[in-house]
Amino acid sequence: MTTTSGTTAAVALPPGGFGNGIFQAYVNGEERPGAGEFTVLTGELNPAGPGLDVLYGRGTPGTSYLRVLDVGTGVSYVQGQLVTHAKEVSLDPLVTSVQLSGAESVTRWLVPDAFVLEQRVAISGTTAADTRLTVTTKVTDFRPERHRFRIEYVWDATVAGDDAPVVQLGPAGGSFRPFEPVSSTEQTFPRSTGDLAVVDRYANPGAPTFAVAVFAVGDPQAVPDAVQYVCLSDAVFAPVGEYVTDPARDIAGPGSDCRNSAGSTDAGLLLRWTADAAPGDATVAATVRMSPASPYPTTLKAGPLSLGSATATLTDTATGRPIPGRTLVFSAGGRVRCTLTTDGAGRATCDQLLTGLLGYDVDFAGDAIWAAAHAHGGLR
């Protein structure tokens, strides 16, 4: 299928995975290689439409994964096969189980004579507003002297086909604000309880069409030391916890030098924690949700019909700001007459409305950012 709200094409979900209709997670359930790696798509009930990337992969895991540094030994353990330094080892030979049940998966690894590592990927909620995708990592250190760990999530954020989404930091529990500034340069956001919105921008003309928020959950130890917005293709080769962002480097714009092997811009997220296993199990978690939780209301005004032509205008109800890049469907006499995209002023003009005295209807189907709207127009 194709969404009518913008330029992003939503498609049928690939088979497999688990979810609740809003998000659909796909986890590598094989014991190797890449045990436990995962990716996420929008589900059948998502207001953005089904089958859109939240993390890169189109339902095939491989580019979003876990890295854990045992500070005491200096050895880093990497989920999958991307081992880039002398003191890094793949977790694949150490996997003990991968379990998928209901709306979650649990992967466990055993580092002999040291610790057990567990990753849980779970989807909860029943609506777009309360759905949560939560990724939890627990380290159980069974040595007499328990160690500290640095835990890093490497996430290849690809929002609605945009492999270089932009970000916007907001308060905890807040929503993406479509008329406020976003960041397209590398950033390190220090320890906080705020939410980081990740939003498509450059891959879709006009206003953004889809955003999610990433935030920490649980006790204070679960809050990341930092969340980094990075050039993913460079950051994956840095040692755990050592990537340095460059705030002057544009990683999302069309002229960006941040490119993946296919030549496309490639921004992502690194979530970093320092966790001490001495008091007990070291547990960290991060959650993804829709942002906004419910689409913002819109106002659609149908202009007067004159000589078969009429202009409709779509605006954000709260602010009155125009909404560009959205598809409006004009119909009259029981037939669709025009399907047009709003311009920078939120307007679209149909010149095929010669239908007599009954006037015409215009509709915006709605999406993940803005709600649907309808209007009826008549003769001048």
Side-chain angles (χ1 to χ4, degrees):
M1 64 172 287
T2 300
T3 60
T4 59
S5 56
T7 60
T8 301
V11 298
L13 291 170
F18 57 85
N20 66 346
I22 305 301
F23 290 142
Q24 185 82 356
Y26 296 81
V27 178
N28 183 357
E30 302 296 328
E31 291 197 354
R32 58 178 66 85
E37 291 178 341
F38 72 100
T39 190
V40 184
L41 296 173
T42 56
E44 295 286 353
L45 302 178
N46 195 293
L52 299 177
D53 279 313
V54 177
L55 297 176
Y56 180 83
R58 293 290 309 123
T60 302
T63 61
S64 296
Y65 54 94
L66 169 71
R67 305 197 296 194
V68 177
L69 168 64
D70 183 336
V71 175
T73 64
V75 177
S76 293
Y77 299 88
V78 179
Q79 192 177 26
Q81 297 293 311
L82 189 58
V83 175
T84 60
H85 296 87
K87 297 200 76 173
E88 288 182 354
V89 298
S90 172
L91 282 167
D92 282 348
L94 307 175
V95 64
T96 59
S97 64
V98 184
Q99 299 174 332
L100 282 77
S101 176
E104 72 172 22
S105 75
V106 180
T107 307
R108 294 184 178 89
W109 301 266
L110 171 63
V111 178
D113 304 317
F115 61 88
V116 174
L117 182 64
E118 177 185 282
Q119 173 191 272
R120 186 179 300 269
V121 179
I123 294 176
S124 61
T126 58
T127 68
D130 67 9
T131 289
R132 301 292 185 266
L133 165 77
T134 302
V135 183
T136 305
T137 299
K138 181 172 71 174
V139 183
T140 302
D141 192 341
F142 51 80
R143 291 168 289 197
E145 294 185 4
R146 296 172 179 173
H147 291 190
R148 293 172 65 245
F149 295 87
R150 291 178 182 165
I151 299 171
E152 191 170 83
Y153 290 175
V154 182
W155 285 1
D156 190 355
T158 303
V159 179
D162 189 346
D163 204 13
V166 293
V167 295
Q168 182 188 80
L169 186 64
S175 293
F176 168 64
R177 306 173 305 282
F179 298 114
E180 296 189 18
V182 295
S183 296
S184 64
T185 60
E186 282 196 322
Q187 301 285 329
T188 295
F189 300 99
R191 183 178 180 88
S192 73
T193 56
D195 293 359
L196 187 67
V198 185
V199 54
D200 69 322
R201 193 77 170 186
Y202 292 105
N204 298 281
T209 63
F210 181 37
V212 295
V214 177
F215 61 102
V217 295
D219 60 38
Q221 180 174 258
V223 179
D225 299 335
V227 177
Q228 293 182 301
Y229 173 59
V230 300
C231 177
L232 191 71
S233 53
D234 290 342
V236 294
F237 293 102
V240 174
E242 296 186 20
Y243 188 74
V244 178
T245 55
D246 178 1
R249 185 183 186 190
D250 184 0
I251 58 173
S256 171
D257 68 348
C258 174
R259 303 281 167 171
N260 58 25
S261 59
S264 301
T265 48
D266 193 15
L269 299 178
L270 291 183
L271 288 74
R272 295 163 48 180
W273 293 263
T274 300
D276 191 349
D281 294 343
T283 303
V284 303
T287 291
V288 178
R289 62 172 171 80
M290 297 293 292
S291 186
S294 299
Y296 295 113
T298 61
T299 298
L300 187 57
K301 293 183 178 180
L305 181 62
S306 176
L307 299 177
S309 179
T311 297
T313 304
L314 182 68
T315 58
D316 175 81
T317 301
T319 65
R321 299 279 293 269
I323 305 174
R326 292 309 195 266
T327 299
L328 302 186
V329 178
F330 294 77
S331 58
R335 293 174 52 196
V336 172
R337 304 292 177 169
C338 296
T339 301
L340 301 167
T341 301
T342 55
D343 61 16
R347 295 190 298 253
T349 299
C350 179
D351 296 320
Q352 303 174 38
L353 295 172
L354 292 171
T355 59
L357 301 177
L358 297 180
Y360 72 97
D361 293 287
V362 59
D363 289 276
F364 166 56
D367 55 32
I369 304 296
W370 279 289
H374 168 81
H376 179 80
L379 295 175
R380 183 183 296 275

